[in-house]
Amino acid sequence: MTAFPTGAEDYESFRTWVWSQARPVARESKDNGETEMEVQARWFGGEFGRTFTGTDGEAIQIVQFGHWNRGAGPDFTECAVEINGERKTGAIEIDLDSRDWEGHGHGENPGFNEVILHVFTDGPSLNRTYTRNSDHRQVTQLQLPQYSWAQGPPDFLPEAFPGRCVAPLAGMSDGEVKSLLESAAQYRVQAKTNRLEMMSNARDNDQALFQAIAEALGFRYNKTAMAVLSQRCPIRELKQLDAIDREARLFGAAGFLDQEIYDETAEPEARTYLRGLWDRWWKIRDEVEAAPARAIRWQLSGSRPFNHPQRRVAALAEISGRWEEFSTLWRSNVNNLEKDVNNLAKTLSHPFWDHHYTVRSKAAPKAMKLIGKDRVRDILGNVLFPYVMGVAEDQWRRFACLGGVDTNQKLKRASLRLFGNDEARQKLFTSYYHQQQGLLQIYNDFCLKDASECERCPFPEQVAQWQSSMNSVVG
Ligand code: SF4
């Protein structure tokens, strides 16, 4: 077994070397389907950090990220930013493109005059644009560095077919393939550890972990929605509330407590449950509810009823209610992390959600777990192990024993692409969570970047060099 993070360094060198050996037909990096709300959530979660260089070379330090604006106007209000050492307070606006400032009419809207920083991810390659408000004052600009999520673009799935790399991988020994997957997994885990560290430094430890757990619960289609929900209902505030207020706040902020939902609910038990939440929600609604344009967008189709976002919000409410118990597990004896988290997750229960798929559904005869096995594994593998490995690298050995998840479309596709229809090899190389992570990393680094249906991908020609490249070329 390779010591963490030595394998991560080996894989990074190997990947750089492989790409240097060919002229691939690469997919446009901008084509990642990222929405404005995703960038806003990443910004507010502290994922980009808090120290930047502005478009004109200004030294920018985010002192306070402020608050999500619930209504019209700039995206974040009550922010504090130091620009070249001068402290400014006001709002921050985030766009996908610098031209959106004018395109959305902010330059003529006095409601945007308090903006002190305009953040964007892209802009015209020629003819730079400037940001000016309706007072004709220039606003400091910040173009975020190119950055990709550790888990890659959320929903892009290339064609499912055995790739050109099946043959060279079949020619490698089991040990060589395992070593490649393990190193790729270390690289991926390290990226997640770094992301959590960045978020903890920008916000705080508890909020960074709370957001990351919410994202894991949002898998696969509602990661951003859950991230935004966790930011609009931060853990430090949820901890102060009693159980019903906590649930009302989360369900209300998620947009699951509107009148229409109540009116369309026929089942008496569901109506009683909703009425209980409503009795609390209406008292805080004016302070919490976002305007329709800023409402969280949920993808309600495409997942099994068991995984309906309302059940995931219920799980988040339960976890936040027992936050001290959960956080003790990763703060104290991390050697039993997997067992302790599994045991605690099994005790999560809710009188309504143990028997309902949605707030409107009829009661199911058989009780359901609030969080299924794969979600707990993803919380462990995607969040808690990367977090503890940031403080105790020797946890890699325990992480390497974590079993894999059963249901993941991307994983199935990656497995088919790299190992073809060889079921024995697919099983051998995807049984453990870290192997699955390694496979997904290779898939991200090559399959998601290739736009030639494998023809110009450099991986097949170079992969057999993995062992020798580690010892000579990149070693
Ligand atoms: S794109 Fe490259 S790594 Fe992916 S399946 Fe095709 S040859 Fe293999």
Side-chain angles (χ1 to χ4, degrees), residues 200-259:
S200 296
N201 291 340
R203 316 294 304 185
D204 64 68
N205 239 359
D206 272 3
Q207 183 58 29
L209 285 164
F210 183 58
Q211 179 182 325
I213 288 171
E215 287 167 357
L217 286 172
F219 182 83
R220 162 172 172 241
Y221 299 109
N222 289 300
K223 280 193 290 191
T224 299
M226 289 294 276
V228 174
L229 182 65
S230 71
Q231 294 174 353
R232 292 183 181 176
C233 304
I235 186 63
R236 70 171 185 283
E237 291 178 17
L238 292 177
K239 281 196 306 187
Q240 312 297 324
L241 305 176
D242 70 24
I244 303 181
D245 276 339
R246 203 163 36 236
E247 217 168 309
R249 166 118 193 228
L250 281 162
F251 274 86
F256 293 146
L257 289 183
D258 64 27
Q259 186 69 39

Side-chain angles (χ1 to χ4, degrees), residues 163-165 417-418 446-447 450 454 457 459-460:
R164 210 162 58 77
C165 54
R417 279 202 158 212
L418 270 71
F446 296 98
C447 305
D450 171 67
C454 292
C457 172
F459 187 69

Side-chain angles (χ1 to χ4, degrees), residues 24-177:
V25 179
R27 194 171 292 283
E28 278 284 312
S29 60
K30 287 177 190 171
D31 183 21
N32 63 7
E34 197 162 56
T35 65
E36 201 164 276
M37 193 173 264
E38 275 176 77
V39 178
Q40 290 165 351
R42 290 165 58 191
W43 165 269
F44 194 67
E47 205 175 312
F48 296 105
R50 60 195 322 160
T51 305
F52 304 95
T53 302
T55 309
D56 286 320
E58 307 95 326
I60 296 174
Q61 174 81 16
I62 309 301
V63 182
Q64 282 173 21
F65 284 86
H67 305 282
W68 275 93
N69 184 2
R70 295 183 295 113
D75 296 319
F76 298 101
T77 58
E78 298 172 66
C79 312
V81 181
E82 269 184 16
I83 301 173
N84 288 335
E86 186 188 343
R87 173 85 54 105
K88 297 188 177 193
T89 55
I92 294 177
E93 173 67 9
I94 299 190
D95 288 314
L96 289 179
D97 190 296
S98 62
R99 290 165 286 193
D100 292 344
W101 178 270
E102 289 303 329
H104 297 164
H106 302 334
E108 294 164 3
N109 183 345
F112 282 75
N113 285 358
E114 62 161 329
V115 172
I116 49 174
L117 186 64
H118 181 209
V119 180
F120 44 86
T121 53
D122 206 356
S125 43
L126 300 170
N127 302 327
R128 179 188 160 186
T129 55
Y130 291 87
T131 303
R132 286 199 174 81
N133 63 22
S134 71
D135 281 342
H136 306 292
R137 274 188 301 112
Q138 192 169 324
V139 179
T140 303
Q141 294 180 319
L142 165 59
Q143 178 158 10
L144 290 169
Q146 283 299 316
Y147 185 95
S148 64
W149 274 41
Q151 295 180 17
D155 293 324
F156 176 66
L157 283 176
E159 292 298 303
F161 57 80
R164 210 162 58 77
C165 54
V166 169
L169 279 166
M172 289 168 68
S173 71
D174 292 351
E176 284 171 333
V177 177

Side-chain angles (χ1 to χ4, degrees), residues 253-271:
F256 293 146
L257 289 183
D258 64 27
Q259 186 69 39
E260 199 185 330
I261 290 181
Y262 182 75
D263 290 343
E264 289 175 6
T265 302
E267 212 229 0
E269 193 186 350
R271 282 181 78 85

Side-chain angles (χ1 to χ4, degrees), residues 381-403:
N382 266 326
V383 184
L384 301 182
F385 270 110
Y387 172 72
V388 298
M389 271 185 268
V391 286
E393 291 175 354
D394 61 346
Q395 289 300 316
W396 176 261
R397 198 170 284 278
R398 291 194 170 81
F399 174 69
C401 295
L402 183 66

